[in-house]
Amino acid sequence: MSLMLRSARIIAWVLVFVLTLLSVVPPWLRPTTNVSHNVEHFAALFVTGVAFGLGYSRRPVIVALVLVFFCGAIEIVQLLVPGRHSRLSDFIVDALGAVTGVAAAFVGGLAAKVSK
């Protein structure tokens, strides 16, 4: 396994861990930025999608579907956490970010193959 592939997989799983953790901590422990809530969500899942797309490039459709499931699971888990809330809009933005990230990694991989 190449160093890039191994690194992408490690980064992808670290991101899943961090996103899960940040989704279940009390709201006052969640870091915020100066960008909009939707941009934060999209960017976080886009980067995660890219990492998984690079790390598991042979099955982009399955990777994208698993990440959509992950986005849904995170929203459902938040229903059980006091002070947190689950929103359909968060799920949609998260899923779009994840799928777009996987697609970007896939297209980037195809472009790299064609240019060789």
Side-chain angles (χ1 to χ4, degrees), residues 1-79:
M1 182 181 322
S2 74
L3 178 60
M4 186 192 94
L5 183 64
R6 189 174 322 131
S7 298
R9 288 180 177 184
I10 291 168
I11 291 167
W13 288 106
V14 167
L15 287 169
V16 163
F17 174 77
V18 169
L19 289 172
T20 302
L21 182 66
L22 291 175
S23 296
V24 298
V25 297
W28 58 88
L29 292 176
R30 183 183 169 273
T32 58
T33 66
N34 290 329
V35 298
S36 79
H37 177 80
N38 286 339
V39 171
E40 284 179 352
H41 278 245
F42 185 90
L45 272 298
F46 177 84
V47 171
T48 304
V50 168
F52 271 101
L54 292 173
Y56 299 93
S57 60
R58 292 186 182 194
R59 302 196 187 274
V61 173
I62 292 172
V63 169
L65 289 173
V66 169
L67 285 175
V68 168
F69 176 80
F70 168 72
C71 294
I74 288 297
E75 291 302 315
I76 290 168
V77 166
Q78 286 183 349
L79 292 171

